[in-house]
């Protein structure tokens, strides 16, 4: 490994986004803040390299904000705000990773085929999301360097907060609709089933 040091701690050096860290061998696994390309592990953000030893392998991470990990990993649940809706995908800004707010927002994308688990060919994206909606989504394995691939194809994922034309927060009334408490007008959404913490 480049600039080899004791496993299970921080490196004294910083890595810039895109810098090569080490070979992607059986022992070394790409973790948060990194990605694998052409047999090497690279930094996906600028920060301090950390070696997190787990059993027989070492997870290579890049940490920022004095050790706080600020990048999502596959499987994480994120909170995001929808910024753009097209016929093929939506773009969003990731606001939180699990319960951790981000200082710098990251870009995410939900493709049409990743919105619902069933009836994918019948999906009309404008009936699922609108710009300004706050959604819960799960991180998929990273396929693009510029955006994180997300999915809402689970009952617990989708729109959790939306505002109607009257300016009031919409109330979920079904899996596919939310209603304005002032005008009683219903709007289509891919509604998330929010599970109480004590459930």
């Amino acid at each position: 490994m480049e600039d080899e040091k004791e496993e299970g701690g921080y490196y004294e050096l910083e890595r810039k986004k895109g810098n090569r860290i080490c070979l992607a061998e059986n022992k070394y696994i790409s973790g948060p803040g990194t990605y694998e390309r052409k047999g090497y592990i690279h930094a996906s953000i600028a920060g301090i390299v950390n070696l997190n030893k787990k059993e027989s392998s070492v997870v290579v991470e890049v940490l920022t904000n004095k050790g706080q990990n600020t990048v999502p990993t596959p499987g994480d649940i994120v909170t995001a705000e929808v910024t753009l809706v097209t016929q093929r995908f939506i773009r969003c800004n990731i606001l939180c990773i699990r319960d951790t707010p981000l200082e710098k927002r990251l870009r995410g994308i939900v493709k049409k085929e990743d919105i619902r688990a069933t009836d994918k060919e019948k999906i009309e994206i404008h009936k699922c999301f609108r710009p300004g909606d706050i959604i819960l989504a799960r991180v998929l394995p990273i396929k693009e360097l510029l955006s994180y691939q997300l999915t809402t194809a689970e009952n617990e994922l989708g729109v959790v907060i939306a505002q109607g034309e009257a300016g009031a927060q919409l109330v979920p009334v079904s899996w596919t609709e939310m209603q304005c408490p002032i005008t009683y007008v219903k709007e289509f959404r891919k509604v998330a089933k929010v599970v109480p913490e004590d459930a």
Side-chain angles (χ1 to χ4, degrees), residues 14-25:
E14 291 193 7
R15 287 299 194 207
K16 295 180 180 179
K17 184 176 180 179
N19 280 169
R20 190 172 72 183
I21 299 173
C22 65
L23 277 169
E25 304 171 324

Side-chain angles (χ1 to χ4, degrees), residues 47-172:
I48 304 296
V49 176
N50 181 52
L51 300 180
N52 187 6
K53 192 170 184 180
K54 293 185 177 180
E55 296 179 357
S56 61
S57 62
V58 177
V59 178
V60 181
E61 305 173 338
V62 176
L63 308 179
T64 61
N65 292 343
K66 297 180 181 179
Q68 180 184 347
N69 185 1
T70 58
V71 292
T73 56
D76 281 347
I77 299 294
V78 299
T79 304
E81 180 180 5
V82 177
T83 57
L84 176 68
V85 178
T86 74
Q87 293 182 346
R88 296 182 295 110
F89 59 84
I90 68 164
R91 290 198 182 278
C92 55
N93 288 328
I94 299 174
L95 309 177
C96 298
I97 303 171
R98 298 175 295 277
D99 297 325
T100 304
L102 298 181
E103 292 183 6
K104 183 179 180 181
R105 296 181 179 182
L106 304 172
R107 286 189 290 181
I109 183 172
V110 182
K111 296 184 178 180
K112 183 177 181 179
E113 59 268 26
D114 294 322
I115 292 176
R116 294 185 186 278
T118 58
D119 297 328
K120 296 183 179 183
E121 66 282 352
K122 298 179 181 179
I123 291 174
E124 296 179 74
I125 297 184
H126 69 279
K127 289 186 177 181
C128 298
F129 304 103
R130 299 282 180 85
D133 288 353
I134 303 299
I135 67 172
L136 290 178
R138 189 180 297 279
V139 180
L140 295 172
I142 300 173
K143 299 178 182 177
E144 298 179 8
L145 293 180
L146 298 179
S147 297
Y148 288 91
Q149 302 284 333
L150 308 175
T151 177
T152 58
E154 299 175 33
N155 289 341
E156 293 76 20
L157 305 178
V159 178
V160 289
I161 300 175
Q163 196 172 59
E165 294 183 0
Q169 184 172 317
L170 301 180
V171 178

